Amino acid sequence: MKLILILLIPISLLNQGCLNNKNNQEINKEFIEKGQSIVKQTFDTLNKELSTAISEKGLKAAIDYCYLNASTITSIYENKAITSISRTAIKFRNPANAPDSLEFLVLNQYGSSIERGDTISHRLIVNDTEIHYFKPILLDNKCLLCHGDPNTEIQSEVLEQIKNKYPGDLATGFRKDDLRGMWHIVFNKK
Ligand code: HEC
């Protein structure tokens, strides 16, 4: 009898675990899809507008564009269900984008995964009231014009403009495919 009980308990625990997991999996799928589509829309808009600003006004003026418009664009998509959309990085340019403690933790975990040679992807952290979606941001060649090697890749007048606008800038010296930062979307669960 004892043996049966001992056997039964883990099985019932397992069942419960499976049920919860199924719900969690559905929630995960839904919010990962939502997160992906918001990041795509926001990133596409940012990217398109940045390219237009660079080609029409030049790199130096594009800095002003980033300064003025990045947060305006992300705020377009915020509503009741989406509490916030932001970009953050450990080596940030704008102090307003400095990571909070949860973001710092996730960014560090991404960093450790990269060091281990793992590929990194989006992730969700769910609590009672909110669902947090994170997506790593990697650099491509175009980004190096403003985030690459300050001696060889960033033109001196662009560097000067960056230093004027962001005296404490930490966001240079990156290489292609480096982890630049991440998107963080907070969904309201209610
Ligand atoms: C024309 C110069 C320029 C280019 C090109 C550029 N950035 Fe930036 N980036 C900036 C500026 C300026 C900021 C600060 C924006 C602000 O004030 O919020 C910034 C901020 C960021 C941030 C937010 C975190 C922080 O450091 O404040 C991320 C992430 C980022 N850039 C990634 C990229 C990626 C990825 C690319 C390439 C697809 C890219 N940037 C291309 C100038 C540039």
Side-chain angles (χ1 to χ4, degrees):
M1 183 62 185
K2 251 189 200 159
L3 186 71
I4 295 175
L5 266 183
I6 291 169
L7 278 174
L8 274 178
I9 292 167
I11 288 171
S12 64
L13 282 179
L14 206 77
N15 269 339
Q16 241 181 15
C18 285
L19 277 179
N20 287 341
N21 266 346
K22 203 179 166 209
N23 287 337
N24 283 345
Q25 266 174 17
E26 276 164 11
I27 293 176
N28 285 1
K29 195 167 167 272
E30 181 188 340
F31 283 92
I32 281 181
E33 277 168 7
K34 276 190 186 160
Q36 268 173 327
S37 114
I38 293 166
V39 163
K40 192 177 175 308
Q41 288 173 51
T42 319
F43 196 65
D44 282 354
T45 314
L46 263 178
N47 233 347
K48 215 176 86 201
E49 305 251 331
L50 181 64
S51 300
T52 314
I54 292 175
S55 60
E56 280 177 4
K57 302 188 184 109
L59 265 179
K60 197 172 157 219
I63 309 276
D64 295 330
Y65 165 79
C66 290
Y67 179 69
L68 294 171
N69 285 318
S71 60
T72 324
I73 290 174
T74 54
S75 65
I76 293 173
Y77 297 97
E78 291 167 4
N79 56 38
K80 250 190 178 168
I82 303 166
T83 315
S84 70
I85 304 173
S86 53
R87 294 184 308 169
T88 180
I90 290 182
K91 287 167 74 182
F92 52 83
R93 173 153 293 164
N94 186 339
N97 300 329
D100 64 22
S101 54
L102 178 64
E103 291 168 341
F104 190 74
L105 187 93
V106 176
L107 282 164
N108 272 316
Q109 287 171 347
Y110 277 138
S112 312
S113 300
I114 291 171
E115 270 172 33
R116 284 197 303 270
D118 298 341
T119 42
I120 52 170
S121 178
H122 48 230
R123 58 177 290 201
L124 284 185
I125 294 181
V126 182
N127 66 26
D128 289 346
T129 52
E130 293 162 333
I131 295 173
H132 295 260
Y133 169 92
F134 301 96
K135 180 160 192 203
I137 301 175
L138 305 179
L139 286 106
D140 63 30
N141 280 327
K142 183 177 70 189
C143 320
L144 303 179
L145 296 170
C146 297
H147 295 295
D149 186 330
N151 300 314
T152 57
E153 285 167 325
I154 308 178
Q155 293 168 13
S156 56
E157 58 161 20
V158 173
L159 192 64
E160 200 181 308
Q161 182 75 350
I162 292 173
K163 281 185 178 155
N164 280 340
K165 279 252 142 71
Y166 307 94
D169 180 36
L170 302 170
T172 59
F174 286 95
R175 283 180 297 184
K176 185 178 177 290
D177 297 330
D178 275 354
L179 175 68
R180 169 68 181 86
M182 66 179 187
W183 289 96
H184 178 195
I185 303 173
V186 185
F187 295 100
N188 196 342
K189 229 175 161 183
K190 302 252 157 70

